[in-house]
Amino acid sequence: MKSASMVAPNLAVWPRTNSDQVRAQRLGETLALPVLRTEYTVDADIDMLLIVGEAGISLQRVAKAAPLPLKVDFGSGGMRHRRRGGQNELLGRAVGVGKRENLRVVDATAGLGRDSFVLADLGCTVVMAERHPVVATLLADGLDRARQAIDPWLSSVGARMTAHAGDARLLSPVTADTIYLDPMFPKRGKSAAVKADLALLQQLLVGSNGDDADALFEWAMDEAAARVVVKRPLRAQPLAGAAPSHQLRGKSIRFDVYVRRAFDTAHSV
Ligand SMILES: C[S@@+](CC[C@H](N)C(=O)[O-])C[C@H]1O[C@@H](n2cnc3c(N)ncnc32)[C@H](O)[C@@H]1O
């Protein structure tokens, strides 16, 4: 029997209703995944479903007592809570919010776009790159819904974000002020329980994410951005062993800030 945490999962696309079938078919072709029928019943070979429905695309583990489907929902209570809770202050300070207007950030490891959304909410223009095709699909779907939201706050924050499916290094040459990296989900440990959605993503990314965070960091440092910022677990070594200019420390994570030059304020809008 395969251990859920060690082996890349088998995925399939599932249209929730008959009217979702065309979109599901298209998604299956794009991602080279099998497309199930709406009246699908659980199949032992499928570990995860990419569910296509009227309310968006979500990822669901196939198992008894599996957690709720994972979806990118920038208007969720969790995102609004994070905004009110003030936890975003460190991230904003790390990337340079307030140092110049309309700060341009490349989030080279966008994942589910949570940090990017926080930065866009703080007024940054954010270009996101996500190389895992399924994660990139969830991200693009969430961004589309945010941009089309009736809520003017949500749609205006979404309008400051763009998403690229693919390796961030394809964005070279980067013209942003700051390149932001959050390359690794924290390792599962006995003491640090990983939230259900992060655990699902960790499982999804098994086998697809090489341990190339140092190389991504070296790439970022070679680009023309004024700053490179790396999110790290509090006690982890800096990426590539490179000493940062300074660190901002939270309860469980820290931001390593590499100042390359002063922010260019000449092009502020
Ligand atoms: C820890 S997650 C980022 C979480 C994100 N900060 C958030 O707030 O949702 C790291 C993500 O970076 C992606 N990634 C890693 N290296 C990448 C690269 N070179 N280019 C694009 N995406 C990359 C992985 O596929 C993964 O989804």
Side-chain angles (χ1 to χ4, degrees):
M1 205 176 104
K2 60 187 182 181
S3 149
S5 60
M6 298 304 293
V7 181
N10 283 332
L11 275 106
V13 180
W14 179 57
R16 191 179 278 286
T17 68
N18 287 335
S19 54
D20 301 314
Q21 265 171 5
V22 173
R23 278 193 308 140
Q25 199 62 45
R26 225 179 285 138
L27 189 60
E29 280 161 21
T30 308
L31 297 175
L33 290 176
V35 181
L36 305 170
R37 290 204 309 271
T38 297
E39 51 284 354
Y40 153 82
T41 49
V42 174
D43 172 341
D45 288 341
I46 305 288
D47 304 305
M48 287 186 196
L49 295 175
L50 204 50
I51 303 172
V52 177
E54 202 192 343
I57 301 174
S58 54
L59 184 69
Q60 168 85 71
R61 198 148 62 84
V62 181
K64 275 189 189 149
L68 287 174
L70 172 68
K71 188 164 93 171
V72 172
D73 184 1
F74 293 123
S76 68
M79 290 307 293
R80 288 171 197 268
H81 177 75
R82 185 170 163 178
R83 184 185 197 216
R84 279 194 305 271
Q87 303 103 310
N88 307 328
E89 199 194 329
L90 267 195
L91 173 60
R93 271 173 45 211
V95 301
V97 168
K99 298 275 182 195
R100 60 157 282 179
E101 287 178 66
N102 189 28
L103 196 80
R104 300 159 307 173
V105 179
V106 164
D107 182 348
T109 55
L112 298 177
R114 292 168 188 183
D115 289 334
S116 278
F117 186 81
V118 164
L119 292 172
D121 187 31
L122 291 171
C124 304
T125 302
V126 186
V127 174
M128 305 182 284
E130 172 50 52
R131 71 178 171 187
H132 191 285
V134 172
V135 181
T137 297
L138 294 171
L139 180 63
D141 174 65
L143 182 56
D144 277 354
R145 276 180 286 105
R147 285 178 161 180
Q148 288 162 24
I150 296 166
D151 180 339
W153 162 69
L154 196 50
S155 56
S156 63
V157 177
R160 286 195 285 279
M161 303 165 74
T162 46
H164 292 269
D167 195 292
R169 286 164 279 199
L170 295 173
L171 296 176
S172 282
V174 163
T175 51
D177 301 294
T178 300
I179 299 178
Y180 174 65
L181 307 177
D182 171 18
M184 311 281 253
F185 290 111
K187 290 225 168 20
R188 281 190 226 210
K190 281 181 189 151
S191 54
V194 179
K195 284 188 190 149
D197 54 355
L198 290 189
L200 184 65
L201 277 185
Q202 281 176 327
Q203 194 188 344
L204 181 68
L205 293 171
V206 166
S208 69
N209 256 14
D211 199 2
D212 59 353
D214 284 354
L216 186 62
F217 171 75
E218 307 280 10
W219 163 80
M221 293 290 274
D222 280 346
E223 291 292 320
R227 238 177 226 207
V228 174
V229 174
V230 186
K231 188 198 243 181
R232 299 293 288 150
L234 207 51
R235 277 177 271 280
Q237 290 297 314
L239 283 189
S245 313
H246 61 272
Q247 293 181 327
L248 296 174
R249 299 174 79 83
K251 276 190 203 141
S252 58
I253 55 102
R254 65 166 204 266
F255 296 104
D256 289 350
V257 180
Y258 299 83
V259 176
R260 315 291 291 148
R261 57 177 171 78
F263 284 114
D264 177 7
T265 49
H267 304 297
S268 294
V269 286

